[in-house]
Amino acid sequence: MDKLEVPVYLITGFLESGKTSFLQEIFESGEFADGERGLLISCEEGEVELDEKATLACKIDTVTLDEEEELTADFLENCKNVYKPKRVFVEYNGMWMLDQLYQNMPEAWIVYQEFMFADAQTFLTYNANMRGLVVDKLKSCEMVVLNRADQRVDKVEIHKIIRAVSRRTNIAYEDLNGEVYYDDTPDELPFDLEAPVVEI
């Protein structure tokens, strides 16, 4: 890795989707408590607040943005120069388009991992009413984590929606007990195996 390269860990999703809780878990895990300075850019304030002890233990400075217009190239360049982070975490507002971030990041900042979080019980509603925002978050993420999953959740429909945007995104569910499991819905074949003649 180029010593000037700064890894960015991008966490996207709509309000109350579990982004902050996920960050809390990884900071508490000690995985990033290696003495390297980090920066968390939080683009919304939800119900859950990060425990300051966890961020301090990982040497994480935090800046919070309230408006999408504040996320400029000058702002991010200033963050780079003032905090001099060796890694950056971005808790991204689900109502903001990702291009705003990607176009304005300093050249040395490289997105290493991108996760999307969603409430499994409201995912279909968000997709029906704000399709453009959902697609924006799905198109480049490595994994979608759908929490609050129970037997009422239409996993087949969710699978179709995600696969229509990305074939490579991993899909994970977290049930109401906190157990995580991976989606095992088979992808539909692009041809009909029951037809008299199968056209491929």
Side-chain angles (χ1 to χ4, degrees):
M1 178 175 79
D2 186 326
K3 65 180 180 179
L4 298 177
E5 200 170 276
V6 176
V8 176
Y9 301 92
L10 176 56
I11 316 299
T12 73
F14 298 101
L15 195 64
E16 304 307 311
S17 62
K19 300 187 298 293
T20 306
S21 297
F22 173 72
L23 284 166
Q24 181 72 34
E25 286 176 19
I26 63 171
F27 293 154
E28 285 180 346
S29 74
E31 183 180 346
F32 293 103
D34 56 5
E36 294 280 12
R37 184 152 294 284
L39 174 66
L40 169 62
I41 300 173
S42 180
C43 300
E44 67 183 8
E45 291 190 40
E47 292 287 319
V48 177
E49 288 188 17
L50 278 172
D51 181 352
E52 231 178 277
K53 290 179 186 173
T55 54
L56 286 172
C58 295
K59 290 193 173 181
I60 306 285
D61 294 303
T62 303
V63 294
T64 302
L65 294 178
D66 296 316
E67 302 295 334
E68 188 174 5
E69 293 73 27
E70 296 178 276
L71 191 63
T72 63
D74 286 343
F75 168 80
L76 293 173
E77 190 68 25
N78 187 59
C79 285
K80 183 189 83 170
N81 295 331
V82 170
Y83 297 102
K84 297 179 172 51
K86 300 300 182 186
R87 58 175 69 99
V88 176
F89 302 87
V90 180
E91 184 180 8
Y92 205 68
N93 189 317
M95 304 304 288
W96 302 357
M97 299 299 279
L98 280 171
D99 283 351
Q100 181 79 4
L101 173 66
Y102 278 110
Q103 290 172 2
N104 291 319
M105 281 198 309
E107 190 176 342
W109 288 15
I110 309 295
V111 174
Y112 270 35
Q113 291 182 309
E114 181 180 337
F115 297 95
M116 177 185 177
F117 284 79
D119 184 330
Q121 297 183 21
T122 60
F123 180 82
L124 296 179
T125 303
Y126 271 105
N127 184 69
N129 296 313
M130 294 184 283
R131 174 74 176 158
L133 288 168
V134 172
V135 169
D136 180 63
K137 307 306 175 294
L138 286 174
K139 65 186 180 185
S140 53
C141 70
E142 293 174 37
M143 178 179 288
V144 181
V145 179
L146 296 126
N147 51 49
R148 304 182 184 100
D150 60 19
Q151 67 277 6
R152 295 170 297 171
V153 172
D154 188 344
K155 296 182 177 72
V156 173
E157 189 60 28
I158 289 173
H159 179 93
K160 286 180 184 176
I161 288 166
I162 294 170
R163 283 289 168 263
V165 178
S166 171
R167 306 296 291 182
R168 69 176 186 85
T169 299
N170 292 309
I171 305 169
Y173 289 94
E174 182 178 356
D175 66 21
L176 299 176
N177 298 316
E179 294 293 320
V180 177
Y181 57 94
Y182 287 92
D183 174 60
D184 59 2
T185 305
D187 289 324
E188 290 185 354
L189 294 172
F191 41 79
D192 182 6
L193 289 177
E194 302 299 321
V197 178
V198 177
E199 293 187 18
I200 301 176

